Amino acid sequence: MKYKISLFLLLIFVLNSCQNEDEKRRAENEKEVKKNEIIFNNINKAWTFIDEPINEAAEQKVSSWNEWRDFLKELGDKPRKTIGAFQKKSAAISKKALALNNNIPVEFNVPQIKSRISILITKVKMMDLFINLSTIPDKKVTFLIGEINKELVSLERQMDQVVVKSKIPKEEGEEDFLKMLDTTRAIPNSNTVPVQVQNINKKLPTVE
């Protein structure tokens, strides 16, 4: 009889323990769901990129620079519903950003533009890294979205400056002067008349 009572009590204890574990697990799952929901809402709210050119110079390149056009198009296509969709979109944006190093128009293939493209790519890659972590630091992701927009503005303004500068007429003779400063273009002049060295051993006049 005592054995049956002990067994009964043990069974109740086991069932109670299992129920507590299930409740604990359920509470943790609910907490994780709420946390992920907050992360999703924060990223979804902040996910707004400058996907249209801000000046004429950048707008003209949309038609001729395929990589630039594709990058802006990727930025403008906002994902929906799940954090997984944002992760896939982030990877796609990163891929398009890397392609900006290809086929840069001649007038923009200068250090000022290339350095800003490099900074932009770095910010995009950082965003892609953070959004794909197991625990997403949503504040860092949203901060980088703002940083990417700043770099886009900076890049397009630099494009505009390059175009404006190229339209300024050079003064007469400036082009030749710039070529002279370029030592890599220097060519020895074969027509130069050699300077004769006078004989310094000639007898000098004496002073009496």
Side-chain angles (χ1 to χ4, degrees):
M1 185 66 181
K2 291 181 179 181
Y3 173 76
K4 291 182 179 181
I5 294 174
S6 299
L7 184 61
F8 178 73
L9 292 174
L10 179 61
L11 181 60
I12 292 176
F13 175 77
V14 171
L15 291 173
N16 189 53
S17 298
C18 292
Q19 185 177 1
N20 291 338
E21 284 295 325
D22 289 341
E23 290 178 356
K24 183 179 179 180
R25 193 179 298 108
R26 192 180 300 110
E28 290 176 352
N29 290 339
E30 290 177 358
K31 184 178 179 180
E32 188 68 20
V33 168
K34 289 181 180 179
K35 180 181 177 182
N36 290 336
E37 185 178 351
I38 292 173
I39 291 174
F40 172 82
N41 289 335
N42 289 341
I43 293 176
N44 183 55
K45 184 178 179 180
W47 196 279
T48 302
F49 292 102
I50 299 174
D51 60 332
E52 294 291 337
I54 66 170
N55 53 35
E56 184 179 354
E59 187 174 4
Q60 289 177 350
K61 292 303 107 183
V62 170
S63 59
S64 59
W65 188 8
N66 293 334
E67 288 77 9
W68 176 247
R69 182 183 66 246
D70 292 344
F71 176 66
L72 292 182
K73 184 176 182 299
E74 199 70 59
L75 288 177
D77 186 15
K78 185 175 180 177
R80 305 289 178 185
K81 295 182 179 180
T82 66
I83 196 66
F86 282 100
Q87 291 171 330
K88 289 181 180 179
K89 174 56 65 176
S90 178
I93 291 174
S94 181
K95 184 177 180 181
K96 296 295 183 182
L98 286 170
L100 290 176
N101 282 320
N102 303 327
N103 304 316
I104 300 175
V106 175
E107 67 269 35
F108 292 153
N109 196 10
V110 294
Q112 304 96 302
I113 297 292
K114 294 172 75 173
S115 65
R116 281 168 172 76
I117 290 175
S118 179
I119 295 172
L120 175 62
I121 291 173
T122 299
K123 297 292 177 65
V124 171
K125 289 174 68 176
M126 288 175 64
M127 181 189 71
D128 187 41
L129 171 66
F130 286 128
I131 202 171
N132 281 285
L133 293 175
S134 56
T135 301
I136 301 173
D138 52 309
K139 290 183 179 180
K140 289 184 178 180
V141 173
T142 55
F143 172 77
L144 283 167
I145 291 172
E147 288 294 297
I148 290 169
N149 281 326
K150 289 179 182 178
E151 295 305 329
L152 281 167
V153 172
S154 177
L155 174 57
E156 294 191 12
R157 283 178 177 169
Q158 187 62 52
M159 286 181 181
D160 197 45
Q161 289 180 20
V162 169
V163 171
V164 170
K165 188 176 181 180
S166 67
K167 292 180 180 179
I168 299 175
K170 291 184 173 62
E171 294 182 5
E172 184 178 355
E174 183 179 353
E175 191 70 31
D176 293 334
F177 178 71
L178 293 174
K179 289 181 180 179
M180 289 175 61
L181 292 178
D182 188 354
T183 57
T184 61
R185 294 174 179 265
I187 301 175
N189 190 345
S190 58
N191 295 325
T192 303
V193 179
V195 178
Q196 294 182 352
V197 180
Q198 295 181 351
N199 188 354
I200 61 176
N201 293 323
K202 287 183 179 180
K203 186 175 181 181
L204 298 175
T206 56
V207 179
E208 296 182 354

